[in-house]
Each structure stands twice: as C-alpha cells, then as structure tokens.
Amino acid sequence: MKHAFLLALNLCLAAAACARPDTVYVAHGAAHTPRVELADGHAIESRPMPGDTLTAGGVCFVRLPRLRLVLCIGQSNMAGRGLMDAGAADTLRSVYLFNGDGFERAAEPMNRYSTVRKELGMQRVGPVGSFAARYAEVTGAPVGVVVNARGGSSIDEWLPGSETGYLAKAVERIRAAGDWGDVAAVLWHQGEADSAHPERYEAKLRRLVGILRTELGNPSLPVVFGEIAHWNWTNRVEGTAPFNAMLRSLHIPHTACVSAEGLAPMKDETDPHFSAASQRELGRRYAEALLKLR
C-alpha cells in the first residue's frame, strides 16, 4: 500500500498479543507495511512484512486474508438513517470497512467514507453492518464492505450521463479496494425518489445492473436490491405498493429482491426511513438473499 494512514484516537484496538497499539490492516498480498503518519506528527516508515502481524512504533500491522468485497450503494436507507444506539458503537467480527486507503474494523456509520454522501451527521445505522456480519458468519469468510451511498438520489443520478457521476465514483471506489479481495456482490437500496413511477424504473434498474456487471468484469455478478418501506409515506392513494410489486416481479438473472414486510419507520409513517432495528433486520434479509444466490 502506497497511501499513508492518519491514525486517529478512535481506531480499533488490536488483539491482546499486540499490547493494545493502534492497528493498521495490510492487504493480504502486501510485502511491506504502509508508511504511517501518526497524529503527533511522527511517522513509521514502510518495512517488510514477514508474517501476519508486525508491531512497530506502537502500531500493530495485521495482514488480512483475501476479503469478499461487497459494494453497497443507493440512497438514504442504504446510507443509514436509523438512530445511533448502543449497538452502533460495536465493531463487527470479520467485517472490514473501506476507508479510501485501506480497510479498518467496521462500525457504524458505514457510509461515513462515501465519496458522494451528505454531511457526516446524517450518516447513521443502515443495513450494511448486519448484512456483512451475517454473511461472514455463515460463509466463514471475512467481508470487506465498500459503502458509497447518497441520500435523496434518484436512479437517474446513478446512470451514465448524469452530472453527479455517482456510478463512476462507486466503481472507482470498489476498484480501489481490489488489492484486498474479489468483488462478491453489489447491494442496491434505492427507489424512494422514484416510487411514483414504477413503470419507468424497471428498464433503468436493468440497465444499472448490466453496467455494474460490465464495469466489474463479471456478467453473473450477484446484485441484491430491496423493497422500500411498505407504509404509505407518499401521500398518494396507492402508496409504495406498485413500486414494490414491480421490484418483486423483476426477473434478472443472478439478482434477488429483499422484502421490507413488517419493518418499522424511524420516526412515524410520514417517514420513508427504517428504524435502527429494522435496518438491521433488512441487512440480515440482504444476507440471506445473497446466500441463496451463491
């Protein structure tokens, strides 16, 4: 890794064997540790990585195994709007979050390193953490999540030709994580901004799936998308039912649709966002859907 890491006080503590230094995770194939710039201005120079761990200058370098990379994109429910609760402070076992330079132990908010997000204070509990924890638990493989969602975005803003360039930025982000593992799937949760026109959405989602598979070099790359909230926050008589019915009816190879049945709102039924508990349940449903696509 050529990038320098700025170590902050809230980095995860290493295992007891590392005597509680800050931790930097090194790509599985790296021959050297990265050059690390400490918060006090001192630096730890790059050095050979002879084993899976190396402690130098109070920093524990840990070589990760090859990760299963999952790109997580969409709008606000993927970014996470559930209230930060006690569980949100926990780091997740065998789950790592891409921070732009490398991976760190994952904890909420998962969308904090997004290159297209709204202000940091709006990033809260979403489905990514519980998805990755469940997926890692069942597969026994470590998961690297690359989260690059943008609240309020329409599907048009994720397609080529948009001035926002959200799709290109997401692809750039997952490619930057490529030294750490192989892309296992894409999770997509978006539609609140487009829910009034389900008849227009199907072709756009098919196009988006095709572009992602082309850009990431895998024509059968699993893509899992989720229903939007079932309660009627739309002020339209039909509510979200037609949009969700359209999602369920899609037959795109190697994709799955995750139900939002029974999930609860963050605030009340005027709010399209899921509560923290419902976000976690939604994430587990994403995991179960992806596991069936393997």
Side-chain angles (χ1 to χ4, degrees), residues 52-64:
D52 288 333
T53 63
L54 175 68
T55 300
V59 173
C60 184
F61 296 90
V62 178
R63 193 198 309 271
L64 289 178

Side-chain angles (χ1 to χ4, degrees), residues 1-183:
M1 296 289 291
K2 296 181 180 178
H3 298 285
F5 285 72
L6 180 61
L7 298 182
L9 293 178
N10 63 347
L11 283 176
C12 305
L13 296 178
C18 295
R20 298 182 66 246
D22 288 325
T23 306
V24 170
Y25 293 100
V26 181
H28 68 99
H32 285 72
T33 64
R35 182 180 186 273
V36 174
E37 295 179 0
L38 301 175
D40 63 5
H42 292 85
I44 302 172
E45 296 298 329
S46 172
R47 62 195 65 205
M49 188 80 183
D52 288 333
T53 63
L54 175 68
T55 300
V59 173
C60 184
F61 296 90
V62 178
R63 193 198 309 271
L64 289 178
R66 197 158 182 83
L67 302 174
R68 294 191 183 187
L69 304 179
V70 180
L71 176 63
C72 306
I73 52 177
Q75 63 177 113
S76 54
N77 272 314
M78 180 61 81
R81 294 294 186 265
L83 295 179
M84 297 287 282
D85 54 17
D90 295 339
T91 55
L92 301 175
R93 184 176 182 180
S94 297
V95 180
Y96 301 88
L97 175 65
F98 190 61
N99 59 26
D101 288 317
F103 282 86
E104 62 186 58
R105 288 286 299 276
E108 300 287 359
M110 297 290 176
N111 200 50
R112 64 183 178 274
Y113 296 118
S114 169
T115 59
V116 300
R117 64 168 170 80
K118 294 183 177 180
E119 55 265 34
L120 181 59
M122 295 183 69
Q123 316 310 313
R124 297 177 181 175
V125 176
V128 177
S130 57
F131 153 78
R134 177 61 178 162
Y135 189 63
E137 177 187 17
V138 173
T139 62
V143 177
V145 289
V146 180
V147 192
N148 223 61
R150 168 74 185 192
S153 56
S154 68
I155 195 169
D156 286 334
E157 292 177 284
W158 287 91
L159 291 171
S162 170
E163 294 181 357
T164 62
Y166 292 155
L167 181 60
K169 291 170 184 175
V171 169
E172 178 183 27
R173 203 70 167 163
I174 191 71
R175 286 177 175 165
D179 287 344
W180 301 81
D182 302 301
V183 182

